[in-house]
PDB file of all heavy atoms in Angstrom:
ATOM      1  N   THR F1379      -1.985 -17.079 -11.394  1.00 98.00           N
ATOM      2  CA  THR F1379      -1.352 -18.391 -11.470  1.00 98.00           C
ATOM      3  C   THR F1379       0.167 -18.238 -11.456  1.00 98.00           C
ATOM      4  O   THR F1379       0.717 -17.393 -12.155  1.00 98.00           O
ATOM      5  CB  THR F1379      -1.792 -19.123 -12.748  1.00 98.00           C
ATOM      6  OG1 THR F1379      -3.220 -19.251 -12.748  1.00 98.00           O
ATOM      7  CG2 THR F1379      -1.153 -20.495 -12.834  1.00 98.00           C
ATOM      8  N   GLY F1380       0.828 -19.061 -10.678  1.00 97.00           N
ATOM      9  CA  GLY F1380       2.274 -18.936 -10.510  1.00 97.00           C
ATOM     10  C   GLY F1380       2.647 -18.301  -9.195  1.00 97.00           C
ATOM     11  O   GLY F1380       3.829 -18.238  -8.841  1.00 97.00           O
ATOM     12  N   THR F1381       1.639 -17.805  -8.456  1.00 98.00           N
ATOM     13  CA  THR F1381       1.881 -17.293  -7.110  1.00 98.00           C
ATOM     14  C   THR F1381       2.265 -18.450  -6.198  1.00 98.00           C
ATOM     15  O   THR F1381       1.758 -19.564  -6.332  1.00 98.00           O
ATOM     16  CB  THR F1381       0.624 -16.579  -6.597  1.00 98.00           C
ATOM     17  OG1 THR F1381       0.408 -15.406  -7.377  1.00 98.00           O
ATOM     18  CG2 THR F1381       0.750 -16.189  -5.141  1.00 98.00           C
ATOM     19  N   SER F1382       3.168 -18.194  -5.265  1.00 98.00           N
ATOM     20  CA  SER F1382       3.713 -19.248  -4.416  1.00 98.00           C
ATOM     21  C   SER F1382       2.652 -19.886  -3.516  1.00 98.00           C
ATOM     22  O   SER F1382       1.609 -19.291  -3.244  1.00 98.00           O
ATOM     23  CB  SER F1382       4.834 -18.685  -3.538  1.00 98.00           C
ATOM     24  OG  SER F1382       5.988 -18.425  -4.287  1.00 98.00           O
ATOM     25  N   PRO F1383       2.950 -21.083  -3.032  1.00 98.00           N
ATOM     26  CA  PRO F1383       2.014 -21.745  -2.121  1.00 98.00           C
ATOM     27  C   PRO F1383       1.809 -20.958  -0.843  1.00 98.00           C
ATOM     28  O   PRO F1383       2.620 -20.114  -0.459  1.00 98.00           O
ATOM     29  CB  PRO F1383       2.697 -23.093  -1.840  1.00 98.00           C
ATOM     30  CG  PRO F1383       3.619 -23.315  -2.987  1.00 98.00           C
ATOM     31  CD  PRO F1383       4.093 -21.949  -3.396  1.00 98.00           C
ATOM     32  N   GLN F1384       0.717 -21.244  -0.196  1.00 98.00           N
ATOM     33  CA  GLN F1384       0.386 -20.669   1.113  1.00 98.00           C
ATOM     34  C   GLN F1384       1.583 -20.775   2.047  1.00 98.00           C
ATOM     35  O   GLN F1384       2.258 -21.799   2.123  1.00 98.00           O
ATOM     36  CB  GLN F1384      -0.797 -21.451   1.658  1.00 98.00           C
ATOM     37  CG  GLN F1384      -1.207 -21.188   3.068  1.00 98.00           C
ATOM     38  CD  GLN F1384      -2.396 -22.054   3.443  1.00 98.00           C
ATOM     39  OE1 GLN F1384      -3.353 -22.176   2.687  1.00 98.00           O
ATOM     40  NE2 GLN F1384      -2.339 -22.683   4.613  1.00 98.00           N
ATOM     41  N   ALA F1385       1.871 -19.690   2.760  1.00 98.00           N
ATOM     42  CA  ALA F1385       3.000 -19.665   3.684  1.00 98.00           C
ATOM     43  C   ALA F1385       2.600 -20.246   5.027  1.00 98.00           C
ATOM     44  O   ALA F1385       1.438 -20.211   5.423  1.00 98.00           O
ATOM     45  CB  ALA F1385       3.508 -18.238   3.846  1.00 98.00           C
ATOM     46  N   LYS F1386       3.594 -20.755   5.741  1.00 98.00           N
ATOM     47  CA  LYS F1386       3.331 -21.232   7.102  1.00 98.00           C
ATOM     48  C   LYS F1386       3.022 -20.063   8.029  1.00 98.00           C
ATOM     49  O   LYS F1386       2.209 -20.183   8.932  1.00 98.00           O
ATOM     50  CB  LYS F1386       4.545 -21.996   7.628  1.00 98.00           C
ATOM     51  CG  LYS F1386       4.868 -23.274   6.885  1.00 98.00           C
ATOM     52  CD  LYS F1386       6.128 -23.909   7.459  1.00 98.00           C
ATOM     53  CE  LYS F1386       6.529 -25.148   6.674  1.00 98.00           C
ATOM     54  NZ  LYS F1386       7.808 -25.727   7.180  1.00 98.00           N
ATOM     55  N   GLY F1387       3.718 -18.947   7.806  1.00 98.00           N
ATOM     56  CA  GLY F1387       3.548 -17.769   8.637  1.00 98.00           C
ATOM     57  C   GLY F1387       2.443 -16.862   8.141  1.00 98.00           C
ATOM     58  O   GLY F1387       1.718 -17.177   7.191  1.00 98.00           O
ATOM     59  N   PRO F1388       2.310 -15.661   8.739  1.00 97.00           N
ATOM     60  CA  PRO F1388       1.097 -14.846   8.576  1.00 97.00           C
ATOM     61  C   PRO F1388       1.085 -13.894   7.390  1.00 97.00           C
ATOM     62  O   PRO F1388       0.452 -12.847   7.454  1.00 97.00           O
ATOM     63  CB  PRO F1388       1.058 -14.072   9.892  1.00 97.00           C
ATOM     64  CG  PRO F1388       2.495 -13.862  10.239  1.00 97.00           C
ATOM     65  CD  PRO F1388       3.199 -15.116   9.800  1.00 97.00           C
ATOM     66  N   ILE F1389       1.748 -14.225   6.273  1.00 97.00           N
ATOM     67  CA  ILE F1389       1.775 -13.305   5.140  1.00 97.00           C
ATOM     68  C   ILE F1389       0.724 -13.641   4.083  1.00 97.00           C
ATOM     69  O   ILE F1389       0.737 -13.078   2.989  1.00 97.00           O
ATOM     70  CB  ILE F1389       3.174 -13.258   4.486  1.00 97.00           C
ATOM     71  CG1 ILE F1389       3.525 -14.607   3.851  1.00 97.00           C
ATOM     72  CG2 ILE F1389       4.225 -12.849   5.518  1.00 97.00           C
ATOM     73  CD1 ILE F1389       4.802 -14.571   3.028  1.00 97.00           C
ATOM     74  N   ASN F1390      -0.205 -14.531   4.388  1.00 98.00           N
ATOM     75  CA  ASN F1390      -1.241 -14.915   3.431  1.00 98.00           C
ATOM     76  C   ASN F1390      -2.339 -13.858   3.365  1.00 98.00           C
ATOM     77  O   ASN F1390      -2.596 -13.141   4.332  1.00 98.00           O
ATOM     78  CB  ASN F1390      -1.858 -16.253   3.854  1.00 98.00           C
ATOM     79  CG  ASN F1390      -0.811 -17.334   4.029  1.00 98.00           C
ATOM     80  OD1 ASN F1390      -0.212 -17.804   3.073  1.00 98.00           O
ATOM     81  ND2 ASN F1390      -0.567 -17.736   5.281  1.00 98.00           N
ATOM     82  N   HIS F1391      -2.992 -13.776   2.204  1.00 97.00           N
ATOM     83  CA  HIS F1391      -4.143 -12.880   2.057  1.00 97.00           C
ATOM     84  C   HIS F1391      -5.282 -13.626   1.377  1.00 97.00           C
ATOM     85  O   HIS F1391      -5.117 -14.166   0.270  1.00 97.00           O
ATOM     86  CB  HIS F1391      -3.800 -11.652   1.225  1.00 97.00           C
ATOM     87  CG  HIS F1391      -4.984 -10.755   1.005  1.00 97.00           C
ATOM     88  ND1 HIS F1391      -5.522  -9.983   2.009  1.00 97.00           N
ATOM     89  CD2 HIS F1391      -5.766 -10.543  -0.089  1.00 97.00           C
ATOM     90  CE1 HIS F1391      -6.568  -9.322   1.545  1.00 97.00           C
ATOM     91  NE2 HIS F1391      -6.739  -9.652   0.282  1.00 97.00           N
TER      92      HIS F1391
END
Side-chain angles (χ1 to χ4, degrees):
T1379 302
T1381 293
S1382 287
Q1384 172 180 315
K1386 295 177 184 177
I1389 66 172
N1390 305 290
H1391 177 72

